[in-house]
Amino acid sequence: MKRTYQSLRASCLIGAIAALLCTACSKDTTADRLKGKWQLQTVEAEGVRYRVDTVWYNFQSESLFMYQIYQPAARRYVYTYGYKTQPDDRTLRLQLANYTIKVKDFLPLTDWPSGVRTFRVEHVDGRQLRLESDGRRYMFRRY
């Protein structure tokens, strides 16, 4: 009886270690790594770097997105929701929706040319996100 218990215990331990190793070695997808709130730190365009600290991109699920802007003069946040799609792990497509504010009214607060924007994901890890679109590079930190 004692030998069976030890054998079962050893099998469980080996199984748990194997499961941990499989999880550790599995590919971490960009979609999972984007989830959360990211604060824009800088925008680089035409060789000039601009400091920004009033914009957040919130990736709330596989498909939901929120664009949030703090307006210091008015001491308020303006935000809208949208949709996120990722055709592959290096392409991020964001589309704003007419939810809390109409897209046509929100766009002048941004540097987006339209309500849909496609980014190339240059880098993403647990702390930093770097996106590129239309010749501009956007550097975010996890908030």
Side-chain angles (χ1 to χ4, degrees), residues 6 27 30 43 49 54 74 86 100 123 127 137 139-140:
Q6 288 176 340
K27 183 180 178 192
T30 302
V43 176
R49 185 176 287 194
T54 57
Q86 287 192 270
T100 57
H123 175 80
R127 296 178 306 170
R137 179 172 284 139
M139 276 73 81
F140 295 83

Side-chain angles (χ1 to χ4, degrees), residues 105-117:
D105 296 329
F106 191 77
L107 284 177
L109 305 174
T110 76
D111 69 344
W112 288 28
S114 72
V116 178
R117 189 95 187 255

Side-chain angles (χ1 to χ4, degrees), residues 57 92 119-121 129-132 136-138 140:
Y57 285 10
L92 173 63
F119 295 91
R120 184 170 62 88
V121 179
L129 170 63
R130 191 169 56 241
L131 303 175
E132 187 277 327
R136 293 182 180 153
R137 179 172 284 139
Y138 300 84
F140 295 83

Side-chain angles (χ1 to χ4, degrees), residues 17 23 28 44 53 56 59 63 78 80 90 114 119 122:
I17 291 171
T23 303
D28 193 3
E44 194 174 301
D53 64 356
W56 291 266
F59 301 104
S63 62
V78 178
T80 193
R90 290 291 174 205
S114 72
F119 295 91
E122 291 185 341

Side-chain angles (χ1 to χ4, degrees), residues 35-76:
K35 191 171 183 178
K37 187 170 189 169
W38 297 89
Q39 183 180 28
L40 185 60
Q41 299 288 286
T42 60
V43 176
E44 194 174 301
E46 299 176 4
V48 179
R49 185 176 287 194
Y50 302 92
R51 181 126 175 82
V52 181
D53 64 356
T54 57
V55 172
W56 291 266
Y57 285 10
N58 301 292
F59 301 104
Q60 300 174 350
S61 70
E62 287 288 321
S63 62
L64 294 180
F65 162 74
M66 182 172 74
Y67 192 135
Q68 184 178 24
I69 302 168
Y70 179 66
Q71 297 176 318
R75 302 177 105 180
R76 70 179 181 140

Side-chain angles (χ1 to χ4, degrees), residues 7-45:
S7 177
L8 180 61
R9 190 171 156 198
S11 294
C12 288
L13 183 60
I14 289 170
I17 291 171
L20 283 172
L21 288 174
C22 287
T23 303
C25 295
S26 68
K27 183 180 178 192
D28 193 3
T29 63
T30 302
D32 294 335
R33 292 164 61 181
L34 287 177
K35 191 171 183 178
K37 187 170 189 169
W38 297 89
Q39 183 180 28
L40 185 60
Q41 299 288 286
T42 60
V43 176
E44 194 174 301

